[in-house]
Amino acid sequence: MISGYGDHDTARLVAEQDKSALLSDAWPSRRSAFARDRARVLHSAALRRLAGKTQVVGPGEGSEVSGVPRTRLTHSLEVAQIGGNIAEELGCDPDVVDTAGLAHDIGHPPFGHNGERALAEAARACGGFEGNAQTLRILTRLEPKIDDHGLNLTRASLDATTKYPWARRAGTDKFGAYEDDLHVFDWLREGAPPDARCLEAQIMDWADDLAYSVHDVEDGVRAGRISMSGLADPVERAALAELAAKYFSSEPVSALEDAATDLMRLPVVAEVTGAGYDGSLGAQVALKRLTSELVGRFVSAAVTGTRREYGDGQLTRYAADLVVPPRVAAEVAWLKAVALRYVMKDPSRLALQARQRELIAELVAVLAEWAPDALEPAFVPAWKRAGTDAERLRVVIDQVASLTDAQAVRWYRALVGRRTAEE
């Protein structure tokens, strides 16, 4: 028994046999069910592929100034580390939150959220595409471990990865399960309050926000796309507050602006703001100190807020909600707006993203035309079992979503080029 968790939480959808290749006198293993979950995700091909998928700046886009930018893989490792830290402070099993952090983005397709938009359009006829729903599909169906059941993770670990605990429905583009995965979704949500996220999922989500807001800003500064001294301008702070209110927060613009003003006054922020960033060793040390201090600030705030609300006992699953002070949530939202304005909405990047969406759309079209021959062998049986055009399209979408950025470009050049030559 794992402290704070019961048999319901550690259950797997499919019963598994003990390992058969152990020595006859093997010492009994002390690994918990949740530690096994973490190992399964850590060793998965789906996680490795994130090394070749865009976080904010695409893989291979680093320069002499910016160094090596974060990928979806390094981002996921950071989310797992931050989330595990919070979990230990609150009494959750760290392996559950670590697993959720590692797994939370494995459903993302090539080119990050931009590729997600393109696949959502291409997949309209088969129920759409959503990165979080694709994560569930990979964990429970596509990743090879247990025949037709993916990694066969425990209920608690699967629930912890579920950022949007509902199926596709009108009024929102975000959802956690496709229609043909609802049998697994219903199983993992058994006993959970409707639409509620477990504490472990809330921790993962906050850790994701921290990694995104702090580390992606760090990458933007290193790449020369974000000027910390420019953020000290009150007019610029106000514009970013408006952007944060539009996309990331329900707080009024004035509250977001006040939070940003206080944040910029912190000595560790002022040090980077005043000196600027020139890529020197001293500048790198100051920038790294800034990111470390901010992550520590935001982690501590969530732990403190939650402990004040629920006391010092062990907190797991649906016994508590993560409590983030509004002021701190406003600071994080403002930092997310910084990354959005200076990196993701950069005009040159918008033009690149338009070309990437066209590439994804054409790749889906040509694969749908030439399947199953053009599919990887692992996807062929599902395509042959499919009884409708929508089911066959879903297999094609699964194939495209699995590709790294570089693979998507190579496949596009090979397949679309071949089709053009044949025409």
Side-chain angles (χ1 to χ4, degrees), residues 1-6 9 34 91-93 200 314-317 319:
M1 184 67 66
I2 302 173
S3 177
Y5 299 85
D9 306 311
F34 297 151
C92 300
D93 189 287
E200 292 85 350
Q314 184 176 21
L315 305 176
T316 65
R317 303 285 277 143

Side-chain angles (χ1 to χ4, degrees), residues 394-415:
R394 176 58 66 192
V395 177
V396 171
I397 296 296
D398 287 341
Q399 171 70 87
V400 174
S402 74
L403 302 175
T404 65
D405 293 12
Q407 286 174 327
V409 172
R410 288 199 301 270
W411 280 47
Y412 172 83
R413 289 173 177 170
L415 295 174

